[in-house]
């Protein structure tokens, strides 16, 4: 062995020791953090209120996401611009005060130009935002950006706020695909796992349409991923855990008729998932939202039609998704006022710490609508 | 600018320079002209245009480039600017063969057509690490130093967090070098199957 060979062998030994140490110390399989108990509702009487979020900035809005902040308030995000995919699309935010029952004027937190500068790469347009928290309680805003092409060219970025969304750190790119890191998008709620890592539901729509979860470590770096489905017809996974090991997931369906919401399940903390099966609920190739309400019923917000997004309903399941009953209709032909464009889509549903349930969704592409109600109203029958 | 952005832009700048040098066939010109063009190209790549350096526009499309792409880009730059070859043809062919094999294993499955996702192995898999170690040792034994260099550099870069990705695959391969390898090997196979007749 000559000196050059010896150096080569030593280098191999050194880096592979590092790779083995990395493999042996990688985060082990984690468990879900079961939903926290919400407080008792202040009023037992059914309560239902709606309002449109402020929008003095843009002609078109879409894809709302929200989370609770201190004081029982809600901070929402969505994207808006001249139209979907336009270069002036930005991510906007607004805060809801339950005391005043009003939303603050919207303001942009991320523009294409800002993302481009912070990511140090060209960005053509922005897309879906999704908000969650990391183990330190920081607010994490994941958002889609596209450098070239349509939504199939998407990648996910992350920016973090340490002051409940008032100011934001520099955005950075999450790498989730080996093919130019394109075709990864977000829509579902990020889940905090028992070891402090995050499971971020994502989906791909380049050649195939399928779902995955990305595992993010404490520094919000992607350190693993798990495939939720495969093929060309399932996307926008939403995952709802009910115990440390058990969860159900729902996915938008983009395949052949009959058009139904897809369902997946895990019993080992998300390490393995069942193959997607069609539920009894229709799906017009549109996103759904779901939350496990305190006390057990699973709520699902969905477009209650196979071919359009002109109705939006809430379904309840008392057996964790095996059977459903449509409890309320939020939008539909018989429910004025109608939006200029009859599209009610991309619902985001959460239950706050007081027990109130909030649904935010795209209302006619021109506004984000907020519906807040009590569980008593939800379970009170058809509207 | 973050360190990961710096390294990402540097890699894209190197590829741009290699493309410029190859497109202009810089080796036809005098050494002074070659050096001047190279300097101008480097400056142009990193001067902001519309708030971003030119290299960032390529980065927006390609993402961060793998070590084999950078090695081949560096080789093209050196060859076109100094007239010397950085790597022996045998070394390059072996690297491209390995890249092509990896591409055929990785991309069809990573694009979601099956439940199996080889890309996930790149985060921290004992099996994947062992397979790569065996391949690297075989290359070392055969005296294929370029492969050894590429794997060692990719692993070190991954462990050091040079790019935003923590996935070893992203340091070992990217679609650019994969396409290049498959085309080169395909063309070579066609050439051997249908040799040109001497006139």
């Amino acid at each position: 062995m000559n000196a050059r060979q010896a150096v080569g062998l030593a280098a191999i030994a050194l880096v592979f020791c590092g790779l083995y140490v990395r493999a042996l110390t990688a985060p082990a399989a984690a468990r879900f953090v079961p939903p926290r108990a919400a407080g008792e509702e202040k009023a037992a009487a059914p309560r239902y209120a709606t309002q449109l979020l402020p929008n003095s900035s843009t002609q078109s809005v879409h894809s709302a996401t929200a989370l609770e902040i201190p004081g029982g308030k809600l901070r929402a995000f969505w994207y808006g611009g001249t139209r979907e995919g336009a270069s002036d699309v930005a991510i906007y935010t607004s805060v809801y005060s339950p005391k005043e029952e009003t939303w603050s004027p919207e303001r942009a937190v991320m523009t294409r130009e800002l993302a481009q500068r912070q990511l140090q790469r060209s960005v053509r347009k922005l897309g879906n935002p999704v908000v969650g928290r990391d183990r330190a309680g920081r607010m994490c805003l994941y958002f889609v950006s596209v450098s070239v092409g349509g939504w199939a060219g998407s990648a996910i970025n992350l920016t973090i706020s340490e002051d409940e969304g008032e100011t934001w750190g520099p955005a950075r790119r999450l790498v989730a695909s080996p093919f130019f890191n394109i075709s990864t998008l977000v829509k579902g709620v990020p889940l905090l796992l028992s070891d402090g890592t995050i499971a971020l539901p994502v989906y791909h729509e380049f050649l195939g349409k399928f779902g995955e979860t990305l595992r993010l470590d404490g520094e919000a770096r992607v350190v693993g991923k798990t495939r939720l489905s495969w093929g060309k017809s399932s996307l926008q996974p939403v995952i709802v855990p009910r115990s440390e090991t058990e969860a159900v997931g729902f996915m938008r369906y983009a395949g052949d008729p009959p058009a139904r919401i897809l369902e997946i399940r895990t019993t080992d903390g998300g390490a393995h998932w069942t193959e997607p099966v069609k539920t009894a609920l229709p799906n017009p190739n549109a996103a759904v939202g779901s939350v496990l309400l305190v006390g057990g019923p699973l709520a699902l917000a969905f477009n209650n039609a196979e071919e359009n997004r002109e109705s939006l309903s809430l379904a309840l399941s008392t057996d964790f998704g095996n059977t459903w009953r449509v409890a309320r209709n939020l939008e539909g032909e018989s429910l004025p006022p109608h939006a200029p464009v009859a599209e009610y889509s991309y619902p985001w549903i959460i239950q706050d710490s007081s027990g109130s349930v909030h649904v935010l969704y795209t209302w006619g592409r021109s506004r984000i609508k907020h519906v807040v109600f009590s569980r008593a109203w939800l379970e009170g029958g058809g509207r | 600018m973050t360190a990961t952005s710096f390294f990402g832009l540097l890699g894209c700048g190197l590829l741009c320079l290699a493309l410029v040098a190859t497109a202009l066939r810089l080796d036809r010109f005098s050494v002074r002209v070659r050096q001047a063009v190279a300097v101008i190209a480097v400056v142009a790549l990193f001067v902001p245009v519309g708030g971003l350096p030119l290299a960032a526009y390529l980065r927006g499309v390609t993402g961060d480039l793998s070590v084999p792409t950078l090695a081949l880009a560096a080789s093209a730059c050196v060859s076109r600017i100094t007239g010397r070859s950085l790597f022996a043809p045998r070394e390059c062919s072996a690297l491209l063969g390995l890249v092509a094999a990896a591409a055929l294993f990785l991309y069809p499955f990573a694009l979601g057509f099956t439940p199996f996702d080889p890309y996930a192995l790149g985060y921290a898999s004992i099996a994947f690490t062992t397979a790569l170690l065996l391949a690297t040792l075989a290359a070392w034994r055969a005296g294929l130093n370029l492969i050894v260099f590429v794997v060692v550099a990719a692993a070190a870069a991954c462990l050091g967090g040079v790019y935003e990705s923590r996935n070893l695959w992203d340091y070992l391969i990217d679609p650019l070098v994969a396409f290049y390898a498959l085309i080169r090997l395909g063309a070579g196979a066609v050439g051997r199957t249908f040799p040109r007749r001497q006139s």
Side-chain angles (χ1 to χ4, degrees):
Chain A
M1 188 189 305
N2 61 33
R4 195 173 177 175
Q5 287 175 315
V7 169
L9 195 58
I12 292 170
L14 196 63
V15 296
F16 275 90
C17 277
L19 290 178
Y20 277 111
V21 167
R22 186 178 84 132
L24 292 169
T25 57
R31 306 201 159 223
F32 296 117
V33 176
R36 51 109 183 88
E40 287 297 313
E41 287 184 84
K42 288 168 192 149
R47 190 167 65 88
Y48 168 83
T50 72
Q51 65 178 300
L52 298 175
L53 270 67
N55 176 27
S56 59
S57 314
T58 61
Q59 293 171 28
S60 171
V61 299
H62 197 35
S63 194
T65 173
L67 87 173
E68 189 176 1
I69 59 176
K73 295 177 177 175
L74 220 60
R75 182 179 283 282
F77 302 86
W78 66 91
Y79 76 77
T82 313
R83 57 177 169 75
E84 178 178 325
S87 61
D88 65 353
V89 165
I91 311 287
Y92 290 87
T93 186
S94 176
V95 173
Y96 173 71
S97 167
K99 207 173 281 181
E100 286 92 34
E101 296 186 348
T102 56
W103 286 88
S104 66
E106 83 278 13
R107 70 177 169 89
V109 294
M110 183 60 63
T111 63
R112 184 184 68 84
E113 292 80 7
L114 182 61
Q116 191 166 257
R117 207 162 50 240
Q118 293 181 343
L119 296 167
Q120 282 294 302
R121 43 169 64 87
S122 57
V123 172
R124 220 181 110 226
K125 60 184 179 183
L126 301 182
N128 294 354
V130 155
V131 68
R133 291 192 188 278
D134 65 9
R135 68 179 168 192
R138 300 180 299 178
M139 195 179 283
C140 299
L141 182 66
Y142 308 89
F143 64 95
V144 164
S145 71
V146 177
S147 290
V148 64
W151 292 125
S154 298
I156 304 172
N157 313 283
L158 166 66
T159 179
I160 295 176
S161 171
E162 302 196 7
D163 56 8
E164 298 297 332
E166 292 300 318
T167 60
W168 294 88
R172 60 192 167 86
R173 176 63 49 95
L174 301 184
V175 183
S177 159
F179 199 80
F180 296 125
N181 191 34
I182 61 166
S183 171
T184 313
L185 301 93
V186 282
K187 179 63 185 78
V189 186
L191 304 171
L192 193 59
L193 302 180
S194 58
D195 63 352
T197 59
I198 292 167
L200 177 66
V202 301
Y203 61 100
H204 301 266
E205 52 172 308
F206 175 42
L207 296 177
K209 286 189 168 119
F210 58 100
E212 291 182 333
T213 55
L214 301 183
R215 185 121 175 243
L216 310 183
D217 68 7
E219 300 302 315
R221 296 171 302 206
V222 182
V223 293
K225 69 197 296 227
T226 303
R227 197 157 279 183
L228 299 175
S229 62
W230 55 280
K232 298 164 78 171
S233 61
S234 55
L235 63 163
Q236 297 184 335
V238 173
I239 297 170
V240 186
R242 76 163 168 186
S243 71
E244 288 188 339
T245 55
E246 198 180 350
V248 64
F250 303 102
M251 299 175 82
R252 169 177 171 174
Y253 178 66
D256 297 329
R260 299 279 186 269
I261 294 171
L262 298 174
E263 179 191 291
I264 52 174
R265 289 179 184 274
T266 179
T267 54
D268 59 6
H272 301 88
W273 291 84
T274 58
E275 278 193 38
V277 293
K278 288 181 177 179
T279 65
L281 300 172
N283 184 248
N285 197 353
V288 301
S290 184
V291 68
L292 185 64
L293 300 176
V294 173
L298 188 61
L300 184 77
F302 69 108
N303 292 107
N304 197 357
E306 284 192 28
E307 291 179 351
N308 61 58
R309 300 174 177 181
E310 294 174 8
S311 66
L312 190 69
S313 300
L314 292 168
L316 286 175
S317 172
T318 53
D319 53 11
F320 203 52
N322 289 320
T323 57
W324 294 94
R325 106 181 143 82
V326 177
R328 292 283 185 177
N329 294 317
L330 297 180
E331 300 284 354
E333 212 170 283
S334 60
L335 299 172
H338 298 303
V341 178
E343 181 190 324
Y344 312 102
S345 59
Y346 275 53
W348 182 274
I349 179 168
I350 59 170
Q351 186 174 30
D352 70 22
S353 55
S354 75
S356 296
V357 182
H358 304 261
V359 183
L360 291 104
Y361 54 92
T362 304
W363 189 79
R365 285 284 176 154
S366 57
R367 303 291 285 271
I368 299 297
K369 188 169 180 179
H370 172 217
V371 179
V372 55
F373 49 85
S374 62
R375 190 168 146 190
W377 176 84
L378 178 59
E379 293 179 329
R383 183 185 135 185
Chain B
M1 184 188 296
T2 61
T4 53
S5 287
F6 173 77
F7 286 118
L9 289 173
L10 205 61
C12 290
L14 180 65
L15 179 62
C16 287
L17 183 60
L19 294 174
V20 169
T22 304
L24 295 178
R25 292 170 58 200
L26 267 188
D27 46 335
R28 290 180 303 165
F29 301 102
S30 70
V31 173
R32 282 189 177 226
V33 172
R34 293 180 208 172
Q35 290 171 342
V37 170
V39 169
I40 291 167
V42 167
V43 171
L45 285 170
F46 293 100
V47 168
V49 176
L52 278 184
L54 277 178
Y57 290 90
L58 178 66
R59 190 178 182 224
V61 178
T62 64
D64 295 332
L65 300 169
S66 68
V67 174
T69 299
L70 298 180
L72 295 176
S75 171
C77 289
V78 169
S79 158
R80 295 289 178 179
I81 294 168
T82 70
R84 286 178 298 180
S85 294
L86 201 56
F87 308 118
R90 171 180 172 263
E91 297 260 19
C92 286
S93 296
L95 177 65
L96 292 178
L98 194 62
V99 166
L104 292 174
F105 172 67
L106 176 65
Y107 291 120
F109 296 104
L111 289 172
F113 298 124
T114 71
F116 174 57
D117 180 14
Y119 184 64
L121 300 174
Y123 290 109
S125 159
I126 296 284
F128 179 55
T129 304
T130 303
L132 186 63
L133 173 61
L134 294 175
T136 311
L137 287 174
W140 174 81
R141 183 82 191 264
L144 298 169
N145 295 322
L146 179 56
I147 289 178
V148 173
F149 166 76
V150 161
V151 173
V152 167
C158 181
L159 291 168
V162 165
Y163 291 154
E164 288 152 334
S165 175
R166 290 292 179 274
N167 192 309
L168 184 55
W169 278 116
D170 291 319
Y171 296 82
L172 289 170
I173 190 170
D174 61 53
L176 294 179
V177 76
F179 284 134
Y180 180 69
L182 290 168
I183 289 168
R184 279 283 301 266
L185 293 179
V190 169
R192 282 191 299 277
T193 310
F194 305 103
R196 282 184 188 170
R197 285 184 184 168
Q198 300 285 329
S199 57

